[in-house]
Amino acid sequence: MNKKYMYSLLAVIVLILLPYVGVEAAGLQVLFGIIIPYLAVLIFIIGFIYRVMDWASSPVPFRIPTTCGQQKSLPWIKQNKIDNPFTTGAVIIRMALEILFFRSLFRNTSIGLNQGPKISYVWEKWLWIVALAFHYSFLTVLIRHLRFFLEPVPVWLQWLEKIDGFFQIGLPGLYMSGAVLLAAVTFLVLRRIYLPQVRYISLAADFLPLFLIISIAITGILMRYFTKVDVVGIKELAMGLASFHPAIPDGIGALFYIHLFLVSILFIYFPFSKLMHMPGVFMSPTRNLPNNTRAKMHINPWNYPVKVHTYDEYEDEFREKMKEAGLPLEKE
Amino acid sequence: MIDSKERASKLSYLPPKTDWMDTPTVYKEGMYCYAAKPSRLEYMDAPYPKDWSCMDEDWQLPENWKEIILEGMKERLEKYRTFKIFMDICVRCGACADKCHFFIGTGDPKNMPVLRAELLRSVYRNNFTKAGKILGRIGGARELTIDVLKEWWYYFFQCTECRRCSVFCPYGIDTAEITIIGRELLNLLGLNIDWIAAPVAFCFRTGNHMGIQPHAFVDMLDFFTDEIENVTGVRMEQTFNKKGADLLFICPSGDVFGDPGTFTCMGYMILMHYLREVHGLDCTWSTYASEGGNFGLFTSHETMKRLNAKMYAEAERLKVKWILGAECGHMWRVINQYMVTMNGPADFLEEPVNPLTGTKFENAKATKMVHITEFLSDLIQHKKLDLDPSRNDRLKVTFHDSCNPARGAGILEEPRHVIKNVCNHFYEMPRNCIREQTFCCGCGSGLNAGEDMELRMTGGMPRGNAVRYVNELHGVNTLACICAIDRAVLPTLMGYWAPEVDVCGISELVANALIIPGEKEKTENLRGEPILRKDVEPDEWYTRPDFPGREE
C-alpha cells in the first residue's frame, strides 16, 4: 500500500466519522449544521482573498509570456493572434480558451520509445477530456445546490436541472453531473495510483481533495437516490443559514451532516492548498500578458541601477591595442 | 561513450522504488559541469568565490548559508509574482512530465519539470506556508539541508530553460523561471558553473563571451575577409566602432569564434557589404558591444542587466539609428522580454524603419532592435537582394526552431520565409518537434561545455531523433538554425544521432545564394564545398560518392 494515499484516505475516514459520532451520539447538530459551515465559508472567503491579494502584492517585473505561435511582425507573415497575443483583447481570448477549454492541456502528448530508436508523440486526450468533465460537472453540481438557498427557485436554475436530468432515468431523475463527477474524480484517483510517473510525483496532499470530493459525491448521491433524506428540512436549514437566522430542523439524518461537514472541510482546505490553482490560472504571467514588450516598454517597479563596465573603462584598458588595430578612439 | 542505439535501448522511464525525497542524488560523470573558478566571481564582485569542485564533500559554504538561501527566497517571492504563483498552484497533473528533453533522454524522474520544481517547492512549503509547516512531509514539505542544496545544483544545471514544458502546462508554469531563480539562489553562495561564470566575466571585461579583445576581434574578421575574397573574388572590408553609421550590428561572439558559426559570420559580413555597395546602407560592428548572447540570463537577473547594458550604451555613443541583432537564441529572449524593461527607454534611437523598403518594424518600436531574419524577410519580400537559390541546391534543408526565439518571442515564420527564398529544398521535421513544440539542442542555458557530454547527448536525443527521421525520409543533409549555441553544439549532436547532417546558420545560406556585384564565377560555397553544377540533378548529386561530406 502506498503511504501517500493511505494518509489521505485515513484522514477522510476520520472526517466522515467525526460528524457521524458528533450528531448521532453527542447531539452536536448546532456545531456541524451551523457553526462549522459558517466558519468554513468565512475561512474560505478570507483565505481566498488573502491569497489572491498576496500574489497581487508581488509585482510582475518582466513580461515573459510563453509564446505558442507566430509573433506579430511583418504584414506578409501571418500572426497567431491567440497563442502569441499582441493586444489585451487577444490576451482575453487566450485566457478564455485556457480557462474555459484548458487549451494548453489540449496539446498534451505522450511519448513512446520504439525500435530504431524512434520516438513517437501521440495526442493524449484523456486527461484533457476528464479534466473538462470533472470541472464542468462540479460546477453544475455546485450551481444546482443553489436551489437550497433560493426561494422561489429561479427559472434558469430549473432549466439547468432539466438539462442535467435530460435522460430521465429513475426516480428521482438522475442528474448527469453527479454521475460524471463521480466517474471523473475516480479516474483522476486511479490515474494517480496506477500511472507510475504520476504516482511518483504525487503528494499525500494530492489525494486528499480527490478523496474528499469522492466522499462528498457519494454521500450526495446516497441522499438523493437511496436514503431519500428530508429535503424540506434541509432546505429549511439552508435558508436559515443564508438568511442569518440559522435553526436546526428535526429529522435530518447523520448522512446529511457528513455531507455538509465534508463540504465545509473542502472550503476550509481550499485557500491553503493547490486548489488555489482556480484563481491562480487567471494570474499566471506567462499566459495573461501580451507578447509586445519590444513594441511597448514594460515597467519594472523595482528596477535599480547596476554596476556596468562603461565604454570609457573599456577604452582605457585596451587603448593601445585598439590604436594598433586602427580602431577609432574617444581619447587619443 | 556508449553508442546512440545502445543508449536508447537501455532507457527506462520507470521511476525508482524509493520516493523521490528518499532517493539520494548521485553525481554521475558527464552529467554535470565544472564549478566556477574564483577569479570569475571576483571579477564580477559576486559573493563567495572559492576554489571548489561539486564532487567535494565540503562545499566551503558560509556558516549562515541556510539563512542566505531562505532570505533570498523570501526576497524573490516578494519581487516576482511568477515565482510565488508557480510555487503555489501546481496540481501535479503530470502533463509536463514527458515534455522535457532531459527526461526523455535520461528517464531520471527528477528531470520531469514538475519534480524539478518540487525540489524548490518542498523547501518553499516548509518555510513559507502554513500547511507545509503543520503537515510537514505529508504536505510535501522538507527541510533545507546540504543534500537538498546539492540536489538543486545538480538538477538546476540539468535544465536548459527551454520552456517546452510551459507550453503544455495548464497554468503556464514556466520551469525556466523556476530554474532561473533556483540558479540565482545558488549564485548567492557562489555556486555557479565555470562554463557560465567565465563567459560572464569575459563579456563584462572585453564585451564578448569568448574574451576576444578589440584588436583580436578585428583580426578575426580580417581573416574572414580574406576567406570571403578567396571564394567570391570580392574584398569586403568591414567597419568597426564607427560613429554615425546607420545601424549597429550585434551578433553572438560564438559565430566569430567557432565553426560552423564562422560561416554564418561570413554571411553577416557579405550581407553588410552588399547593403553598403548596392544600397548605401552603413552597418557597423562594435568591439565593445561585441556580444549578442547573454550568459547573465543563466546567472541572475542583475548579471543579465549588467551585460545587456552595453548594447544601448554603444548604440547611443555611436549615434546609430537602431540596432540590428543577429542569429542567437537566448539573446533574443533577453532582447524581446527583458531589454527595454531593464535598460530602456531607448529614446536616443529611432523607431526602426528599413531605409531600403520603408517598412516600419512596428513590433520593435520600443526596443529599437530588429531580428536579422525579420530584416532579411523584409529585404527579400521587396526584392532588394539578388538571389540565386540554385546555388544551395545540393542542400536539403530542415529548420531547427531554437527554444528562445520560438517560445520567448515567436519568431517562427521569418526564418522559414528566408530559407524558402534562398534554398529550393526545404523539409519540415514532424509537428511535435518544431515551432512552439521545438526540442532543445540539449545544451542551452550555459550547458554547452565539454565535460557534460553525456548530459548533452541525452538531452539532445529528441532533436537528434527528429533530424534522423527527415534524413531517412527526405535525405535531409542540412540543419539550419538561428542560434549560435546550436551551431556550436549541434554538429556533435548530429555526429551522435544523425551523422549525415551538417549544421548552418541562415545568413550563411543567404550569403551563398546572394549574387554579389563584381563576384567571380562561383564554384564553391563559403565552406569550400563545390556548389551544385547545373547539369546534375540534386538527388543524383546527393547519392554520388564525391558528394561533400561523404568521404568519411
Side-chain angles (χ1 to χ4, degrees):
Chain A
M1 270 299 198
N2 187 311
K3 260 208 300 206
K4 287 173 183 169
Y5 59 80
M6 285 312 292
Y7 277 131
S8 296
L9 199 57
L10 273 174
V12 172
I13 290 169
V14 171
L15 290 174
I16 290 171
L17 288 176
L18 271 177
Y20 181 74
V21 175
V23 170
E24 290 286 312
L28 293 171
Q29 271 85 345
V30 175
L31 178 68
F32 287 100
I34 297 171
I35 298 173
I36 290 177
Y38 270 141
L39 212 62
V41 171
L42 205 66
I43 291 174
F44 173 76
I45 293 172
I46 294 173
F48 190 96
I49 293 173
Y50 175 82
R51 290 296 299 279
V52 170
M53 299 298 281
D54 184 47
W55 287 335
S57 72
S58 295
V60 180
F62 302 107
R63 191 168 289 199
I64 55 158
T66 311
T67 57
C68 301
Q70 171 60 40
Q71 65 160 353
K72 175 187 152 73
S73 67
L74 299 157
W76 52 91
I77 285 172
K78 194 170 172 282
Q79 183 204 353
N80 183 338
K81 289 187 177 155
I82 295 171
D83 293 316
N84 194 338
F86 193 77
T87 59
T88 311
V91 169
I92 290 170
I93 296 172
R94 186 185 201 193
M95 290 301 291
L97 289 172
E98 197 65 81
I99 289 159
L100 299 174
F101 302 109
F102 306 172
R103 185 178 174 82
S104 293
L105 199 54
F106 178 73
R107 294 193 185 97
N108 198 10
T109 56
S110 122
I111 62 150
L113 186 57
N114 313 302
Q115 280 298 315
K118 266 202 180 87
I119 306 175
S120 60
Y121 307 89
V122 185
W123 183 37
E124 209 296 289
K125 53 201 162 301
W126 290 108
L127 181 60
W128 175 70
I129 290 171
V130 175
L132 271 179
F134 169 73
H135 284 87
Y136 275 103
S137 59
F138 204 157
L139 181 67
T140 311
V141 169
L142 208 67
I143 293 173
R144 271 204 287 103
H145 277 69
L146 287 177
R147 146 179 289 280
F148 292 104
F149 299 93
L150 298 168
E151 188 57 49
V153 177
V155 181
W156 62 264
L157 193 52
Q158 294 179 22
W159 274 102
L160 179 75
E161 287 170 343
K162 271 214 177 104
I163 297 166
D164 201 1
F166 179 76
F167 289 110
Q168 303 197 340
I169 302 164
L171 201 76
L174 176 77
Y175 284 135
M176 280 181 285
S177 54
V180 171
L181 175 63
L182 192 59
V185 75
T186 307
F187 173 92
L188 294 176
V189 171
L190 293 178
R191 185 176 169 275
R192 274 205 193 278
I193 295 175
Y194 287 107
L195 294 184
Q197 284 150 25
V198 185
R199 181 173 62 222
Y200 200 69
I201 61 174
S202 294
L203 303 172
D206 294 324
F207 289 99
L208 184 69
L210 292 174
F211 288 142
L212 263 178
I213 292 166
I214 286 184
S215 313
I216 290 167
I218 290 175
T219 48
I221 286 169
L222 280 177
M223 279 191 286
R224 179 172 163 83
Y225 304 104
F226 299 99
T227 68
K228 314 267 163 85
V229 282
D230 175 12
V231 182
V232 179
I234 290 171
K235 175 134 189 180
E236 207 182 310
L237 174 67
M239 292 296 294
L241 287 170
S243 60
F244 297 106
H245 292 96
I248 299 288
D250 289 332
I252 305 175
L255 195 54
F256 169 76
Y257 287 102
I258 295 173
H259 186 71
L260 184 61
F261 182 67
L262 292 176
V263 172
S264 302
I265 293 295
L266 191 65
F267 269 59
I268 294 169
Y269 182 68
F270 198 101
F272 301 99
S273 69
K274 68 166 189 177
L275 301 180
M276 285 301 284
H277 67 268
M278 191 257 254
V281 65
F282 288 86
M283 296 177 72
S284 182
T286 54
R287 290 287 187 273
N288 71 6
L289 289 169
N291 174 42
N292 63 358
T293 344
R294 244 196 313 156
K296 206 171 157 222
M297 182 170 160
H298 176 86
I299 305 290
N300 173 3
W302 50 260
N303 197 19
Y304 57 94
V306 294
K307 187 177 169 233
V308 297
H309 190 64
T310 64
Y311 176 81
D312 291 336
E313 288 165 341
Y314 170 85
E315 195 183 291
D316 285 347
E317 181 172 354
F318 297 112
R319 183 166 293 113
E320 285 312 307
K321 290 168 174 169
M322 290 174 79
K323 204 170 173 180
E324 250 170 65
L327 289 167
L329 295 169
E330 290 283 337
K331 284 183 234 161
E332 287 297 324
Chain B
M1 191 179 295
I2 58 169
D3 123 272
S4 57
K5 279 206 167 127
E6 195 187 341
R7 179 185 299 282
S9 68
K10 277 187 179 163
L11 251 177
S12 158
Y13 296 118
L14 277 183
K17 288 211 163 53
T18 49
D19 187 62
W20 68 264
M21 283 196 201
D22 302 322
T23 310
T25 306
V26 183
Y27 277 53
K28 291 197 189 98
E29 193 67 38
M31 295 295 281
Y32 56 84
C33 296
Y34 295 147
K37 295 195 177 102
S39 59
R40 330 283 196 202
L41 303 194
E42 277 155 13
Y43 195 81
M44 298 302 291
D45 304 315
Y48 303 108
K50 58 188 154 261
D51 205 357
W52 69 294
S53 154
C54 63
M55 300 306 275
D56 293 344
E57 186 64 37
D58 175 17
W59 277 17
Q60 308 170 46
L61 300 174
E63 214 158 275
N64 61 339
W65 68 269
K66 231 184 256 189
E67 226 172 281
I68 294 173
I69 292 279
L70 294 175
E71 199 46 49
M73 278 179 84
K74 182 169 177 285
E75 188 193 332
R76 280 154 189 82
L77 287 165
E78 285 160 7
K79 279 169 119 175
Y80 298 91
R81 189 179 300 167
T82 43
F83 186 37
K84 209 185 245 181
I85 287 188
F86 296 165
M87 287 295 103
D88 279 331
I89 65 172
C90 175
V91 300
R92 287 161 296 283
C93 72
C96 59
D98 57 0
K99 308 303 179 285
C100 176
H101 50 286
F102 283 122
F103 177 68
I104 296 174
T106 62
D108 182 342
K110 284 176 193 167
N111 272 324
M112 291 189 231
V114 47
L115 269 199
R116 200 186 309 282
E118 288 289 314
L119 303 180
L120 198 55
R121 238 178 238 134
S122 49
V123 173
Y124 163 75
R125 289 195 197 98
N126 192 58
N127 291 283
F128 298 94
T129 70
K130 291 210 175 49
K133 276 177 192 154
I134 297 165
L135 293 172
R137 173 84 184 248
I138 300 173
R142 64 172 176 172
E143 191 78 32
L144 175 61
T145 63
I146 186 71
D147 290 331
V148 169
L149 191 78
K150 289 184 175 179
E151 194 175 40
W152 284 6
W153 198 85
Y154 193 61
Y155 287 105
F156 288 140
F157 290 103
Q158 280 189 22
C159 165
T160 47
E161 304 178 0
C162 81
R163 308 182 106 197
R164 190 170 189 267
C165 49
S166 165
V167 169
F168 296 89
C169 176
Y171 317 115
I173 295 173
D174 180 11
T175 305
E177 187 76 353
I178 291 167
T179 297
I180 286 169
I181 290 184
R183 289 186 183 183
E184 210 169 291
L185 294 170
L186 291 164
N187 268 285
L188 295 176
L189 301 173
L191 304 173
N192 204 344
I193 62 171
D194 204 54
W195 199 261
I196 294 173
V200 163
F202 285 150
C203 190
F204 195 68
R205 175 165 177 243
T206 66
N208 58 71
H209 290 156
M210 299 294 172
I212 311 166
Q213 298 188 5
H215 58 292
F217 194 86
V218 175
D219 275 354
M220 293 271 205
L221 265 62
D222 279 349
F223 172 71
F224 295 156
T225 309
D226 296 341
E227 290 281 296
I228 293 168
E229 192 177 2
N230 287 341
V231 175
T232 64
V234 182
R235 186 130 191 105
M236 304 188 184
E237 298 291 354
Q238 307 289 313
T239 58
F240 298 91
N241 302 359
K242 184 181 169 189
K243 283 197 178 170
D246 294 313
L247 308 181
L248 168 62
F249 177 77
I250 299 178
C251 84
S253 67
D255 283 342
V256 180
F257 192 75
D259 284 345
T262 48
F263 303 115
T264 307
C265 187
M266 291 181 214
Y268 304 145
M269 294 167 71
I270 291 172
L271 180 71
M272 275 186 263
H273 168 82
Y274 185 93
L275 293 174
R276 183 175 297 115
E277 293 303 309
V278 179
H279 298 294
L281 184 74
D282 194 5
C283 293
T284 186
W285 296 77
S286 163
T287 58
Y288 168 64
S290 47
E291 180 60 65
N294 191 328
F295 273 39
L297 171 64
F298 315 140
T299 307
S300 69
H301 287 88
E302 184 176 302
T303 314
M304 167 172 36
K305 182 177 168 172
R306 290 173 74 184
L307 298 185
N308 175 263
K310 279 179 193 176
M311 290 191 183
Y312 278 154
E314 186 68 340
E316 187 172 17
R317 188 182 74 87
L318 297 179
K319 301 192 173 57
V320 295
K321 293 195 177 82
W322 45 271
I323 311 171
L324 181 63
E327 302 176 24
C328 177
H330 68 275
M331 157 180 175
W332 276 92
R333 171 106 203 268
V334 175
I335 291 165
N336 189 55
Q337 301 197 320
Y338 295 98
M339 176 150 95
V340 79
T341 301
M342 288 187 306
N343 289 314
D347 296 333
F348 43 87
L349 296 173
E350 292 174 15
E351 288 184 11
V353 176
N354 188 339
L356 313 183
T357 63
T359 301
K360 278 188 184 168
F361 295 99
E362 294 280 353
N363 61 328
K365 66 181 177 192
T367 306
K368 285 138 179 162
M369 188 148 177
V370 176
H371 192 281
I372 193 163
T373 62
E374 294 170 342
F375 187 60
L376 282 168
S377 174
D378 185 42
L379 292 172
I380 287 168
Q381 183 74 9
H382 290 93
K383 313 227 172 329
K384 295 290 178 190
L385 300 180
D386 194 5
L387 297 165
D388 175 8
S390 74
R391 291 177 176 185
N392 282 323
D393 267 1
R394 60 165 215 89
L395 306 182
K396 293 191 168 187
V397 182
T398 192
F399 180 62
H400 161 70
D401 287 277
S402 308
C403 312
N404 286 294
R407 289 181 284 259
I411 301 171
L412 307 175
E413 284 303 329
E414 296 87 347
R416 287 177 169 80
H417 181 228
V418 176
I419 294 174
K420 285 173 190 167
N421 277 283
V422 298
C423 299
N424 288 321
H425 309 291
F426 176 68
Y427 305 89
E428 289 279 16
M429 283 180 273
R431 184 68 189 89
N432 295 103
C433 311
I434 53 168
R435 297 176 189 266
E436 77 280 358
Q437 296 193 26
T438 188
F439 274 106
C440 184
C441 59
C443 314
S445 83
L447 304 185
N448 50 325
E451 63 269 19
D452 62 337
M453 199 51 83
E454 190 83 14
L455 178 71
R456 288 173 48 180
M457 294 304 110
T458 52
M461 175 175 147
R463 171 47 75 229
N465 215 263
V467 177
R468 182 67 192 244
Y469 179 80
V470 284
N471 167 266
E472 285 171 357
L473 195 64
H474 305 296
V476 161
N477 57 9
T478 303
L479 179 61
C481 59
I482 48 169
C483 172
I485 290 182
D486 280 335
R487 283 185 285 277
V489 302
L490 283 174
T492 320
L493 190 75
M494 289 305 113
Y496 192 71
W497 291 104
E500 286 165 12
V501 180
D502 283 335
V503 179
C504 74
I506 291 197
S507 298
E508 179 188 346
L509 297 175
V510 173
N512 277 328
L514 197 62
I515 299 168
I516 305 150
E519 70 181 7
K520 64 179 187 188
E521 201 195 336
K522 260 194 187 171
T523 52
E524 288 179 345
N525 65 18
L526 287 170
R527 299 189 185 206
E529 298 163 344
I531 62 174
L532 185 62
R533 297 200 312 267
K534 299 272 180 208
D535 56 332
V536 184
E537 278 294 307
D539 281 330
E540 194 212 321
W541 177 241
Y542 179 65
T543 53
R544 276 161 56 158
D546 57 337
F547 184 82
R550 271 292 157 87
E551 54 270 40
E552 299 115 332

